[in-house]
Amino acid sequence: MFNEKLDDIVTELVKNYDSDLIQFDSPNRHFPSRSAIVGIIKDLRRVLFPRYFGDERPCASGPQYFIGETLTHIEYELHREVREALLFRGGDNLSYHEADAQASQICSDFFYRLPEIQRMLFDDVQAAYDGDPAAQSREEIIYSYPGFFAISVYRIAHVFYELNVPLIPRIMSEYAHSHTGVDINAGADIGRFFFIDHATGVVIGETTKIGEHVKIYQGVTLGAISLRAGQKLAGKKRHPTIEDNVTIYSNASVLGGNTVVGAGSVIAGSTFVTQSVPPNSRVTSSGVEVREPGCANLEVKVPGEK
Amino acid sequence: MFNEKLDDIVTELVKNYDSDLIQFDSPNRHFPSRSAIVGIIKDLRRVLFPRYFGDERPCASGPQYFIGETLTHIEYELHREVREALLFRGGDNLSYHEADAQASQICSDFFYRLPEIQRMLFDDVQAAYDGDPAAQSREEIIYSYPGFFAISVYRIAHVFYELNVPLIPRIMSEYAHSHTGVDINAGADIGRFFFIDHATGVVIGETTKIGEHVKIYQGVTLGAISLRAGQKLAGKKRHPTIEDNVTIYSNASVLGGNTVVGAGSVIAGSTFVTQSVPPNSRVTSSGVEVREPGCANLEVKVPGEK
Amino acid sequence: MFNEKLDDIVTELVKNYDSDLIQFDSPNRHFPSRSAIVGIIKDLRRVLFPRYFGDERPCASGPQYFIGETLTHIEYELHREVREALLFRGGDNLSYHEADAQASQICSDFFYRLPEIQRMLFDDVQAAYDGDPAAQSREEIIYSYPGFFAISVYRIAHVFYELNVPLIPRIMSEYAHSHTGVDINAGADIGRFFFIDHATGVVIGETTKIGEHVKIYQGVTLGAISLRAGQKLAGKKRHPTIEDNVTIYSNASVLGGNTVVGAGSVIAGSTFVTQSVPPNSRVTSSGVEVREPGCANLEVKVPGEK
Amino acid sequence: MFNEKLDDIVTELVKNYDSDLIQFDSPNRHFPSRSAIVGIIKDLRRVLFPRYFGDERPCASGPQYFIGETLTHIEYELHREVREALLFRGGDNLSYHEADAQASQICSDFFYRLPEIQRMLFDDVQAAYDGDPAAQSREEIIYSYPGFFAISVYRIAHVFYELNVPLIPRIMSEYAHSHTGVDINAGADIGRFFFIDHATGVVIGETTKIGEHVKIYQGVTLGAISLRAGQKLAGKKRHPTIEDNVTIYSNASVLGGNTVVGAGSVIAGSTFVTQSVPPNSRVTSSGVEVREPGCANLEVKVPGEK
Amino acid sequence: MFNEKLDDIVTELVKNYDSDLIQFDSPNRHFPSRSAIVGIIKDLRRVLFPRYFGDERPCASGPQYFIGETLTHIEYELHREVREALLFRGGDNLSYHEADAQASQICSDFFYRLPEIQRMLFDDVQAAYDGDPAAQSREEIIYSYPGFFAISVYRIAHVFYELNVPLIPRIMSEYAHSHTGVDINAGADIGRFFFIDHATGVVIGETTKIGEHVKIYQGVTLGAISLRAGQKLAGKKRHPTIEDNVTIYSNASVLGGNTVVGAGSVIAGSTFVTQSVPPNSRVTSSGVEVREPGCANLEVKVPGEK
Amino acid sequence: MFNEKLDDIVTELVKNYDSDLIQFDSPNRHFPSRSAIVGIIKDLRRVLFPRYFGDERPCASGPQYFIGETLTHIEYELHREVREALLFRGGDNLSYHEADAQASQICSDFFYRLPEIQRMLFDDVQAAYDGDPAAQSREEIIYSYPGFFAISVYRIAHVFYELNVPLIPRIMSEYAHSHTGVDINAGADIGRFFFIDHATGVVIGETTKIGEHVKIYQGVTLGAISLRAGQKLAGKKRHPTIEDNVTIYSNASVLGGNTVVGAGSVIAGSTFVTQSVPPNSRVTSSGVEVREPGCANLEVKVPGEK
């Protein structure tokens, strides 16, 4: 039966292919390769934390051969993918030669920042170790914590976002999202010593700003109050600002581009915050209470309880 | 030591194998192959959005060869898996020949509906683009949005659910669930222009009905109030109805088979809704307020706040 | 440009490699292999539920050959990984020979408990079938329910936790976490007939204790109120106790080491519980109500509603 | 340009597809799978020589689990391939059910002979060790001698030839041929203690008969004098008989169905023999000389030399 | 120790890299990809003999979709490899744009000849079937005869040789050589109905010319008498001419660019022919004898025998 | 039926496993891994001829990172395989520690000789280019000539033979043998500028000694006259000596440990040489003729011809 209908179905689908969403007949546009970008992430992690994610071999003559060769390999892959992404966005307005030169500059800028990325990740490991009594060692965090994985990918993707590379930061973020359930938009601006515990179901929007020593739990949303304004809001600050030393418990939502959570505040689980709170606040579903700095013991009550 | 105990452990496990859950000695029952079904999904996505998920080659002589050959390949795989699934359910009451004929009809029906599935997905892309200011292009949505991925798989799985194919819709749903954290039961009935933003932690139950232009966020549950009645509820409407143009914010739960969220309503984040609300309602944790249609600005307050 | 800067970047990264987080020059420490451990999980699932996850062939002469050979293979892999993990923790204080002997004992103990693990999983299947009207068969649960997958991995990982094996329980848990969004710490103590419906976004902490016939939904957290005490809390009971026959709905959080949810209680969705509730309680966001045992119909209201 | 011509080329090839050599439209005929048969060979070698060609793990509780499970796996694969081969030959005259039953019997017969095949291969190892001073151990022969590889495959393929299975013996022979350059037709009848040194470029025809303790070198042909009679000769003895204890040196050809090389003879390299020689002959390009048994020292001269 | 010497060894090898044989620093030259070319061969074989070498699915609506799509895929791969090969040869004298246009023309010319290649291969199958009494069917020849495999690859490679494509014909020939031990230079000119029996150890040189209905056996060389003149002989006819209906037995060598083996001749095994022989000759190691056409019974004697 | 007989077949095979050829129960002996050794060969070829056999990326900052990192990787693999091979031979007489130390020394010695191996291969490329008019470039030889492949593997394997490593040289040789039909025993001693044309069916025995600028063709054997003395001959010189500037044509055999082919000689095809010939000889099947050096034109006649 299928055989009898096949010609008709083909005809019908060929008609649909007239949609400008279909790329079948665009010979000069290519999507960056998702699997190549995942490979780049994996190779970067091997350079940043050797022997955790690969089987790099110790070598008493020093690690420079390993680093140099691995970076050379990564650059080759990255250069191509960045060029494809630029060409995809640029369309007829960008020549292959221009795209290639821009890609070259972007790669160079990225690698120049790599040592600093590594140092920031060292601090994130420390934050996780200090924050989680279940962590038996700092190595365990690097090796197996999904929150640290998501932050690692974010810190890499963020540089490409800043370098105005299209598509690739998104592909990186969604790779981490898919593996961890943590969706950090590459545009977010996140300070040092960041920790996400039990990382799952976390959303951090594109224009979020996060200070240092911030700790968040599963299910936390740092989002927008967008309400169907859609593309008109592109580029505007739509997500909150979280200052230093804030802790946000599980399933809390903090929304809105003007919302600022003051330094040292604690947001209880399952709360829904859409207005700013001053520093050292303690926010529960019963309200906001400002406390002395350092006084941080949370006694949450079941709402309605005596 | 292991060697000394091995015979005993084997003996013990052989005893457990008497359980009717163990399929070891059922030569004629086969589970449909999970990897084959994932392959079918991937191939369907290549036909629906060529060059996004594969390396299909542009061909000026037209896409008919690509479509015809890919569908022929998919049909071959699908036919076999559907037949196995029917035989698994049918047991001794269904002959191989009958199952094969039914599978043939089911495949034919499915492919006949494929062009319409594609058109629905075009609309879903549009909904996502209109709804997300962070989207830089509609191509980006197709290529990398997990919400769109989950909806794509749902729209395919739903047809098999309607065609009463066992196991396969579930395998498809769980594939999308595993990759995105979005669990849309294939039985749900979802209208056009559907968008899930920051897709993660979303649950949409089997008997849910969703209208057109509905937008939901991460962590939303459209679920049942089942309370241990279990299998007795099978087949009954247990999940809510969401009418056109409704928006449901992050971590909200809407539960119950009789619950209807009227058209144009907005459900705030982290709310817990178990009763119907009229059209154009605005539901927060403080209560329900009905508004004029079109008046859609949400000003949520932290509960208890002045 | 990259080529010109490469030597400098290498030099900079070599400096970072002085960090004690970097394992590049530690020839005698190896992380257990993540992929080997995932392989062990997969093989164990094939023994526990043959023909669901592999293509084991029925054999009228009995399953003993299949079981014996597969266990022998698993033991080989497991032995090596356990030894590596012990050596990683032990550092210079543990000889290869000692580690090998301990690994041998641990493997032997683990396999001795395998038949009991299988019987517990049979009960978990039954609990899922009784609890989910969307389940068409018990086979479907084993084959495709992510909640059952997460519980299966937990029951295996828990034995290694009890046998005081480092790293491996964590790797197992994170494997399940990554695939399902369900993060059950291997240290949790969970009774028979456990069911997680729509498994996604669930967190169960290390010192949680769960009775029999407990059912939880997506987004549930059984967590700690840790507030930055960090490593000082290691080893203390920080997570709640859930007694028999409790049901916890979607997105509820139950926190704290002293929190006990009494037998037969029902916790409504999106609640935030940090204090103990007596048996047969019904907890909503409006408060706690104690009911007669068996009286279990939940009528939740939208808070603030008349 | 290609795109413009594609439709024409397709049309032209479609015409060629009318040839009865093309199987495109024969839904019920399948070739046995070459890769499956290669897999069967590899698995059989793992059973016959465990740990040489796989990574089977020693198990002090005995090898029965390994053997039983591996044979069960092989039987499953073999059964299917034999059935396909029978159906391919049988066409419309053989039902699926009949083919399946015959395949079942054939598999059973084959496995029954497997222990004897193993014992014959033990003897072939001994022959190679006794015959090659470059062999450092008998393990080296099993592990790495292409001549032994070719003989192993032959001994397996020969059983299927005797059981009158179509195609599969040929696929097996060509697998060995491709890897070693040794083409032993599965129909040949070869005695114990057979050795091929420097195995490459050797051809042994279908109706060849070889006794025990025969040793041949690279480039030897035991062939037919067929001269274009072609298919009329099918089934007739066309290849020579080699009696016990014969040695045939490199690049010699012995041809013809009536040619018998008597026991204990030595055939020098690069000779071309088409008539029978009596026992204990010494054949060089200068002629045939009969010697006392046991007197085996060959002093070959360059032809034409004084 | 290795670690101590590594820097020195690296330095030494870096010096060797100054050789102009090393391509490390030639960013714009790429070898054609061997694996891509092997993939092209495999895909071409699937088009030429569908279902023998792949799992193409029968489709009652006709094979045009299969052919069109497969050719489109092959063209994409081939185009790139041909362009790389042209650029490799052209060096600085050939622009990317020119190479691309030439590659486009070459691909178009190749595919235009593909139907004719297929018809020639049909004839080669017939020749093999007529010539080998051990062949049970013509399908068996296509499916498993190494001689037919080598001829198939030759007939493809020869077209690229004629189209003056560098490197690729050689890569194709060596692929067949490696799998079969048959080394047919792509430059040879071979007529229809060609058959190589027991294909192994056969060499056919670049300027060989072979007529129709020629049959050769294992170990045959059609070679040059080159004697160290080396590159001076490039382009000259150095290999023999074999006229129609000639048979050449195993291990015979026919050498020299002026050597012509007349139509209908038979060359016995292990002979060494360096001068022309008239039509209908019978060449043995004893000499040349001219016979009546059709009188073809070979009675070879062991040299020196009475 | 198989199922009924399985227990019996297992029992029978278990009995065969008592043979001392079976390694099933030898926990401490491991064969070196064939696939690891093939990987080592491939990696060495990538270092020796970068970009020919891999996709090493040009890097203007110099090749030292590539070389250093690749050698470090190879050393890791090689060290382990050499140690296993030593332990396999050593049995109970060699401790793990001793084997490890010996392996370390062997690896160090091998890498120290690697630059020299590379230089010898450069010369072999030159010899092939000078000797083959069909070669279009020297790159083509490196990239695709099987003779050069076989020589490359030999030059590597020979070093391990000289370092007295068991099994590994054999595995290397058989890898090349299987791919090319050229069987060069790693023990042979072969001078610079060696070329094998149309490499197939070539055998070069363990104690062969070959000078510089020697050229041989397909089917040549440099072998032993062993005649069943077998293991008694181990270690003795059994294969010929070929002096500088000798050419040996196709299918010729030169046999015997005392046979010396004097410098500058030419051996015609299909000859069989078992006695020494003086320098500048010209050997045909008609006899030996000594010529003036430099007079090298071969005019071969068909034997028996006038």
Side-chain angles (χ1 to χ4, degrees), chain C residues 21 109 129 202 245:
Chain C
L21 290 172
D109 291 352
Y129 186 69
V202 169
N245 296 300

Side-chain angles (χ1 to χ4, degrees), chain A residues 1 16-17 73 88 98 120-121 127-128 142 198 236 243 252 263-264 267 273 276:
Chain A
M1 282 170 292
N16 283 354
Y17 274 34
H73 174 74
F88 190 89
E98 288 169 321
M120 292 183 82
L121 290 172
I142 299 170
H198 302 297
K236 304 226 174 106
E243 296 184 347
I267 313 288
V273 180
S276 295

Side-chain angles (χ1 to χ4, degrees), chain B:
Chain B
M1 281 169 295
F2 167 73
N3 287 332
E4 295 155 22
K5 288 186 185 171
L6 179 58
D7 292 344
D8 291 349
I9 296 169
V10 168
T11 303
E12 195 77 6
L13 286 168
V14 168
K15 275 186 219 155
N16 284 354
Y17 273 34
D18 283 342
S19 165
D20 62 356
L21 290 173
I22 298 296
Q23 301 286 325
F24 192 78
D25 290 318
S26 306
N28 298 321
R29 298 186 95 191
H30 298 274
F31 291 95
S33 159
R34 197 181 283 105
S35 66
I37 289 168
V38 168
I40 288 164
I41 294 273
K42 287 181 176 171
D43 283 338
L44 284 169
R45 292 215 300 159
R46 288 173 54 235
V47 169
L48 295 171
F49 293 98
R51 300 186 68 212
Y52 285 81
F53 306 115
D55 57 355
E56 298 77 35
R57 302 309 170 192
C59 181
S61 64
Q64 71 274 19
Y65 295 127
F66 164 67
I67 298 171
E69 173 59 8
T70 310
L71 292 187
T72 301
H73 176 74
I74 296 170
E75 202 273 343
Y76 184 89
E77 296 287 312
L78 184 58
H79 191 147
R80 182 190 62 228
E81 296 306 320
V82 170
R83 188 184 59 222
E84 295 293 341
L86 295 173
L87 286 168
F88 190 89
R89 180 176 61 192
D92 295 340
N93 301 318
L94 187 69
S95 74
Y96 182 93
H97 186 75
E98 287 169 321
D100 195 67
Q102 289 178 24
S104 189
Q105 182 64 54
I106 285 166
C107 287
S108 185
D109 291 352
F110 170 74
F111 283 106
Y112 191 74
R113 289 176 62 174
L114 194 60
E116 177 61 14
I117 291 174
Q118 188 179 37
R119 287 188 291 265
M120 293 183 83
L121 289 171
F122 288 172
D123 291 348
D124 294 326
V125 172
Q126 191 61 45
Y129 186 69
D130 292 342
D132 181 7
Q136 297 183 359
S137 66
R138 295 183 303 160
E139 284 89 350
E140 187 182 7
I141 290 159
I142 299 170
Y143 191 61
S144 64
Y145 271 44
F148 181 70
F149 175 81
I151 293 168
S152 301
V153 174
Y154 156 75
R155 295 219 182 274
I156 291 164
H158 182 60
V159 175
F160 292 104
Y161 181 93
E162 292 194 324
L163 293 169
N164 195 22
V165 177
L167 288 167
I168 289 176
R170 170 72 67 177
I171 293 169
M172 290 178 166
S173 300
E174 291 301 347
Y175 169 59
H177 186 183
S178 166
H179 274 255
T180 64
V182 173
D183 177 8
I184 310 178
N185 191 296
D189 177 0
I190 302 180
R192 286 171 177 266
F193 296 96
F194 184 53
F195 177 42
I196 306 173
D197 202 1
H198 302 297
T200 217
V202 169
V203 174
I204 299 176
E206 185 183 18
T207 63
T208 305
K209 186 161 167 38
I210 296 179
E212 302 199 340
H213 290 284
V214 169
K215 177 178 177 182
I216 69 178
Y217 284 82
Q218 68 271 19
V220 165
T221 291
L222 307 178
I225 311 177
S226 64
L227 271 198
R228 304 196 164 236
Q231 288 290 331
K232 292 173 204 159
L233 297 172
K236 303 227 174 104
K237 183 156 194 330
R238 308 180 304 278
H239 308 93
T241 296
I242 312 296
E243 296 184 346
D244 295 350
N245 296 300
V246 167
T247 300
I248 307 177
Y249 279 91
S250 58
N251 296 324
S253 297
V254 184
L255 307 182
N258 297 321
T259 303
V260 178
V261 176
S265 295
V266 174
I267 311 289
S270 295
T271 51
F272 193 77
V273 180
T274 59
Q275 295 191 335
S276 295
V277 296
N280 300 306
S281 296
R282 182 168 156 279
V283 180
T284 66
S285 49
S286 311
V288 178
E289 177 186 353
V290 182
R291 307 203 133 210
E292 295 304 303
C295 164
N297 206 34
L298 180 74
E299 297 151 18
V300 199
K301 298 185 178 183
V302 179
E305 198 185 358
K306 304 304 164 221

Side-chain angles (χ1 to χ4, degrees), chain E residues 40-149:
Chain E
I40 288 165
I41 293 275
K42 287 182 176 171
D43 283 337
L44 284 169
R45 291 216 300 159
R46 288 172 55 235
V47 169
L48 296 171
F49 293 97
R51 301 185 69 213
Y52 284 81
F53 306 114
D55 56 354
E56 299 77 32
R57 302 309 170 191
C59 182
S61 66
Q64 71 273 19
Y65 295 128
F66 164 67
I67 298 172
E69 174 60 8
T70 310
L71 292 187
T72 301
H73 175 75
I74 296 170
E75 201 273 343
Y76 184 89
E77 296 286 313
L78 184 59
H79 191 147
R80 183 190 62 230
E81 297 306 322
V82 170
R83 187 184 60 223
E84 294 294 340
L86 294 174
L87 286 168
F88 190 88
R89 179 176 61 191
D92 296 340
N93 301 319
L94 187 69
S95 74
Y96 181 93
H97 185 75
E98 287 170 321
D100 196 66
Q102 290 178 23
S104 189
Q105 182 65 53
I106 285 165
C107 286
S108 185
D109 290 352
F110 170 74
F111 284 106
Y112 191 75
R113 289 176 62 174
L114 194 60
E116 176 62 13
I117 291 174
Q118 189 179 38
R119 287 187 293 264
M120 292 183 82
L121 290 172
F122 289 171
D123 290 347
D124 294 326
V125 172
Q126 191 61 45
Y129 186 69
D130 291 343
D132 182 8
Q136 296 183 0
S137 67
R138 295 182 304 159
E139 285 89 351
E140 186 182 6
I141 290 160
I142 299 170
Y143 190 61
S144 64
Y145 271 43
F148 182 70
F149 175 81

Side-chain angles (χ1 to χ4, degrees), chain D residues 1-2 5-6 9-10 12-14 16-17 19-27 29-34 88 167 170-171 174 177-178 181 183 201 203 206 219 221 226-228 230-231 233-234 238 251 253 272-275 285-287, chain E residues 47-48 50-52 57-59 63-64 66-68 71-72 75 104-105 108 111 115 118-119 122 129-130 132-135 138-140 143-146 179 198-200 213 215 217-218 246-247 249-251 269 296 298 300 303-305:
Chain D
M1 282 171 294
F2 167 73
K5 289 187 186 170
L6 178 57
I9 297 168
V10 168
E12 196 77 6
L13 286 168
V14 167
N16 284 354
Y17 274 35
S19 164
D20 63 355
L21 290 173
I22 298 296
Q23 300 285 324
F24 192 78
D25 290 318
S26 307
R29 299 185 91 188
H30 298 274
F31 291 94
S33 159
R34 196 180 286 104
F88 190 89
L167 288 166
R170 169 71 67 175
I171 294 169
E174 291 301 345
H177 186 183
S178 166
D183 177 9
V203 174
E206 185 182 16
T221 291
S226 63
L227 269 196
R228 303 197 165 233
Q231 288 290 332
L233 298 172
R238 307 180 302 279
N251 298 323
S253 296
F272 192 77
V273 180
T274 57
Q275 295 191 336
S285 50
S286 310
Chain E
V47 169
L48 296 171
R51 301 185 69 213
Y52 284 81
R57 302 309 170 191
C59 182
Q64 71 273 19
F66 164 67
I67 298 172
L71 292 187
T72 301
E75 201 273 343
S104 189
Q105 182 65 53
S108 185
F111 284 106
Q118 189 179 38
R119 287 187 293 264
F122 289 171
Y129 186 69
D130 291 343
D132 182 8
R138 295 182 304 159
E139 285 89 351
E140 186 182 6
Y143 190 61
S144 64
Y145 271 43
H179 275 255
H198 302 296
T200 218
H213 290 283
K215 177 179 178 182
Y217 285 81
Q218 69 271 19
V246 166
T247 301
Y249 279 92
S250 58
N251 297 325
L298 181 73
V300 199
E305 196 184 3

